[in-house]
Amino acid sequence: MRFRPAARPAAFARARFVIGFLALPLLLYGVYVISPYAQAFSIALTDWRGVSAEPRFVGLDNFRRLSGDGVFWTAVRHNALLLVLLPVLTVVVALFFAFLLNDGGPGSGGVRGARFYRVVFFFPQVLAVAIVAVLFQQVFRPDAAGMLNAPLMALGLEPVGFLADPGVALWSILGVLVWQAVGFYVVLFSAGMASVPRELYEAARIDGAGRRQVFFRVTLPLLRDTVQVGWIYLGIAALDVFAIVWVMTAEHGGPDHSTTVMAAEIYRNAFQYFKFGYASAIGVVLFFFTVGFAALALRLSRRERIEY
């Protein structure tokens, strides 16, 4: 009697296949992402200036200096404001437009040309952040060449210093961030709405539900997981915003630190003041803020999964 060799378990073959494909990406991720993060923790405990071969160990001195740094706390407040407002405004606007572009109301198949509008909304995503910043520098110009100030001056009104007025500059930055982010989340939420069975909408219409009731009673509950993901991504983006602030604003976070954020202070301390240890300490604080926000958001929004 001949015996055939035992076939390898399917689970083992599948695991080998997955490991084979993931090994190189994980290696690159570890070298270029995890390793710099780990080094930042050690550098934060030194006074390294970026050029010395053997930085001096200072322990927690950099973190003690942070506690009394007024500019750092100003940056923290700005990040906190963006953390609250950017996800709220972006999600609300994106949900509004996504609902209009999809079959969400009684007798409505969405607006005509919905595919074209999705492309238009998504267009800012294909622009580099630096290009967006330069474009809005021109939009916010405080003279007759500015897109927003030109009509005001034509009406005999005083131009608004969108980027020059400390009380307005951060709100202008927030407007640019929302404009840039909305298109992606319109497409994301549209995809989520398209996956909702049409039968649910038809049942709601038969029961006499209006457009508002359909949105709040049918669409939004079924999009909760998608909105949760978008909310976390936007919160991380609000904590990590850098290029828009650095390129658009005077003094790279001005005027008078009115738009500075933690990422800008990391760059400023590292590459202008050559205080790499101090900059790394700010980076460590930003890391814990980001991880803490993500964990808290996931914890507060946890619920049983809805199957449909």
Side-chain angles (χ1 to χ4, degrees):
M1 180 181 296
R2 298 177 61 184
F3 293 94
R4 295 181 179 179
R8 293 181 177 178
F12 175 78
R14 184 166 56 250
R16 190 179 67 171
F17 176 80
V18 171
I19 293 172
F21 271 91
L22 290 181
L24 181 59
L26 288 176
L27 176 62
L28 294 175
Y29 187 81
V31 171
Y32 293 106
V33 178
I34 302 299
S35 176
Y37 270 119
Q39 292 178 46
F41 280 83
S42 61
I43 294 173
L45 302 177
T46 71
D47 64 350
W48 189 46
R49 298 184 60 83
V51 292
S52 58
E54 297 181 0
R56 183 170 60 93
F57 180 80
V58 296
L60 299 178
D61 283 355
N62 288 324
F63 296 96
R64 296 190 188 97
R65 289 175 55 197
L66 280 179
S67 64
D69 188 340
V71 175
F72 167 74
W73 287 110
T74 299
V76 171
R77 287 194 297 270
H78 293 163
N79 274 118
L81 180 65
L82 294 176
L83 178 62
V84 173
L85 296 181
L86 179 61
V88 172
L89 295 176
T90 303
V91 168
V92 169
V93 175
L95 281 173
F96 173 75
F97 284 119
F99 190 65
L100 291 182
L101 296 177
N102 290 270
D103 184 9
S108 171
V111 300
R112 183 177 300 176
R115 293 183 179 178
F116 170 76
Y117 287 122
R118 289 192 188 100
V119 173
V120 172
F121 279 122
F122 193 78
F123 180 71
Q125 294 296 312
V126 304
L127 298 177
V129 178
I131 294 176
V132 172
V134 172
L135 286 174
F136 274 91
Q137 275 185 326
Q138 303 306 311
V139 171
F140 292 145
R141 283 185 58 163
D143 52 29
M147 184 180 296
L148 297 181
N149 276 315
L152 296 178
M153 297 178 70
L155 294 174
L157 301 176
E158 291 292 327
V160 178
F162 290 101
L163 298 177
D165 186 344
V168 179
L170 186 62
W171 300 103
S172 302
I173 295 295
L174 176 61
V176 176
L177 293 173
V178 172
W179 177 86
Q180 185 187 25
V182 158
F184 175 81
Y185 292 97
V186 168
V187 176
L188 178 67
F189 296 153
S190 294
M193 292 177 186
S195 67
V196 177
R198 299 295 96 185
E199 295 81 4
L200 297 179
Y201 287 134
E202 293 172 3
R205 293 166 186 163
I206 292 173
D207 290 339
R211 194 176 187 87
R212 181 178 300 177
Q213 291 174 313
V214 168
F215 177 76
F216 286 104
R217 299 293 181 86
V218 179
T219 304
L220 191 56
L222 295 178
L223 281 182
R224 177 163 176 165
D225 290 341
T226 306
V227 172
Q228 177 192 30
V229 171
W231 197 282
I232 293 173
Y233 283 169
L234 286 164
I236 294 173
L239 290 171
D240 196 37
V241 60
F242 167 73
I244 291 288
V245 170
W246 196 261
V247 177
M248 278 186 63
T249 60
E251 304 168 8
H252 306 301
D256 195 23
H257 302 296
S258 61
T259 58
T260 191
V261 290
M262 283 188 282
E265 292 307 311
I266 292 174
Y267 188 93
R268 192 191 320 278
N269 280 280
F271 298 104
Q272 289 187 346
Y273 305 151
F274 297 101
K275 299 178 180 178
F276 280 82
Y278 192 66
S280 296
I282 302 176
V284 170
V285 173
L286 179 58
F287 170 80
F288 282 112
F289 278 175
T290 305
V291 173
F293 161 75
L296 182 62
L298 288 171
R299 177 71 177 177
L300 294 178
S301 58
R302 182 181 299 175
R303 66 160 188 173
E304 294 183 2
R305 186 177 181 86
I306 297 177
E307 300 289 347
Y308 56 88

